[in-house]
Amino acid sequence: PAHDIAVYLSSAPQSVGAFGGDLAWCVNVAAEPATPPQAITLYDMPGGEPDTDQLDSMPRFQVRVRGPVFADAYSKQVAIRDLLLLPEPLTTSESHYLIQMASDIESIGRDDSNNFLLVANYRARRTAIGG
């Protein structure tokens, strides 16, 4: 789901950053860029067993935010959380996602350039559109 969610987070009107690229608060999938210092990267994680009755998958993903100012990085994580935790499913071109937090926002220290690193983990129920 990381790619689907990254595209959603970088789309207007809720955009938290541009998809890929090298501008501040770029949104990336699976690989965090070396620059800029402000980056958002989504990673796929092992999920739960599929719901065989409904053929839904139960993926998990992590949102990692990197930034030179702790308060800015934390605020970006809060904005992302608020965009993902919706009462109705988030819909992409191929799937519906009902998302829940699997962990709170957590600081995991700093990178080699002294930027703050914050992560939050999510689980989702993904249903194919038309499925």
Side-chain angles (χ1 to χ4, degrees), residues 91-131:
T91 300
T92 65
S93 61
E94 298 179 6
S95 301
H96 298 293
Y97 291 91
L98 190 56
I99 299 171
Q100 298 176 321
M101 282 191 98
S103 74
D104 204 349
I105 298 167
E106 177 182 1
S107 173
I108 59 170
R110 295 181 183 225
D111 67 6
D112 292 340
S113 298
N114 214 28
N115 294 303
F116 292 95
L117 302 170
L118 291 96
V119 297
N121 297 304
Y122 297 86
R123 61 180 163 262
R125 176 180 293 268
R126 178 174 49 197
T127 305
I129 293 177

Side-chain angles (χ1 to χ4, degrees), residues 60-110:
R60 291 173 51 118
F61 61 96
Q62 181 177 82
V63 177
R64 177 170 150 146
V65 172
R66 178 184 71 206
V69 177
F70 181 87
D72 293 345
Y74 192 89
S75 293
K76 189 61 72 168
Q77 275 284 16
V78 168
I80 292 166
R81 178 199 65 200
D82 292 349
L83 288 169
L84 295 178
L85 300 182
L86 304 171
E88 66 278 347
L90 180 154
T91 300
T92 65
S93 61
E94 298 179 6
S95 301
H96 298 293
Y97 291 91
L98 190 56
I99 299 171
Q100 298 176 321
M101 282 191 98
S103 74
D104 204 349
I105 298 167
E106 177 182 1
S107 173
I108 59 170
R110 295 181 183 225

Side-chain angles (χ1 to χ4, degrees), residues 46-64:
E49 295 179 8
D51 180 338
T52 55
D53 292 336
Q54 301 297 321
L55 298 178
D56 293 347
S57 64
M58 308 298 277
R60 291 173 51 118
F61 61 96
Q62 181 177 82
V63 177
R64 177 170 150 146

